Amino acid sequence: MADKDFDKPDDGDEVLGAEGSEAHASDPAAQGPASDGPDTQPEELTVDDILGAAQSDEAAVAGAPEAEHDLLLDLKRVQAEYANYRRRTEEQREVEAARAKGSVAKNLLPVLDDLDRAEKHGDLAEGSALAAIADKLRGVVARLGVERYAEAGDAFDPQQHEAIFQAPTPGTTEATILEVVEVGYRLGEIELRPAKVVVAVPAE
């Protein structure tokens, strides 16, 4: 019987690849999905999640070595201080923004007064160049959030109106604005200028 040629495999023999059985064993795809794959990773927490989580001192040090308790409590206090600092900073930023708007608007009030006087004298004819400029300027002021107030016939409010004269008027039962000498302006809760008015008061 002829000797078997060991250099050539039989048809039924299994042929390993160039890497051999060890490469097959080390192939991650051959071992199936890992237990700690992307789908099983814990969701990553943000700074807001950490700072917003309520936690007692006992919970903060639970499971930690006793020697680290003070460090963990200090970290908890620092986190709370940072959250308060960020809140105060945001509030201060809003106040400064409103103050800046108010400063710009307050410098425009004399111009608005001139436009009101020009309108009363008929100098802001519809379609004129001056009327177009007035409309644009008033639009800018309105977009800043500035509101004007005080109209003749409104009830007099000493918190909002400055009475420059009181006129006893028959038939008047309560203090009422008789004439607006200088219109008032406000920006949100900020009083830019109180309205100066003539007040009708009950006649004695």
Side-chain angles (χ1 to χ4, degrees):
M1 182 174 63
D3 294 336
K4 187 174 181 180
D5 189 350
F6 290 101
D7 295 333
K8 296 180 180 180
D10 293 337
D11 292 340
D13 291 343
E14 181 181 357
V15 180
L16 297 177
E19 293 82 357
S21 59
E22 292 182 359
H24 179 75
S26 61
D27 185 0
Q31 298 177 14
S35 60
D36 56 349
D39 294 338
T40 59
Q41 289 290 340
E43 184 177 353
E44 186 174 344
L45 294 177
T46 65
V47 174
D48 291 336
D49 294 334
I50 296 172
L51 295 180
Q55 190 180 44
S56 64
D57 290 348
E58 293 78 5
V61 300
E66 186 174 354
E68 298 179 3
H69 286 189
D70 289 342
L71 293 176
L72 291 174
L73 292 176
D74 287 342
L75 176 60
K76 184 172 179 288
R77 282 190 289 270
V78 169
Q79 289 175 336
E81 290 173 1
Y82 174 72
N84 290 332
Y85 164 77
R86 190 172 61 174
R87 176 181 52 78
R88 290 194 303 269
T89 301
E90 180 64 22
E91 291 174 352
Q92 186 64 27
R93 185 190 66 81
E94 293 176 357
V95 169
E96 290 300 327
R99 186 175 299 169
K101 284 183 179 181
S103 178
V104 171
K106 201 166 186 177
N107 290 329
L108 292 175
L109 298 188
V111 182
L112 296 175
D113 291 338
D114 290 340
L115 293 176
D116 288 342
R117 283 189 285 268
E119 190 171 30
K120 287 179 180 179
H121 287 86
D123 296 333
L124 296 183
E126 185 176 355
S128 66
L130 188 56
I133 294 173
D135 289 341
K136 288 182 179 178
L137 181 59
R138 286 167 173 167
V140 169
V141 172
R143 284 192 293 275
L144 287 174
V146 176
E147 299 177 353
R148 56 183 293 158
Y149 66 93
E151 297 286 345
D154 291 348
F156 174 71
D157 182 354
Q159 299 297 325
Q160 302 182 51
H161 309 127
E162 180 181 339
I164 60 175
F165 183 74
Q166 291 186 353
T169 305
T172 300
T173 58
E174 62 179 0
T176 306
I177 296 177
L178 186 63
E179 180 184 353
V180 178
V181 178
E182 191 174 72
V183 70
Y185 289 95
R186 65 168 67 95
L187 176 61
E189 297 181 356
I190 300 175
E191 187 80 21
L192 298 178
R193 187 180 73 187
K196 295 181 180 179
V197 298
V198 175
V199 183
V201 295
E204 295 181 357

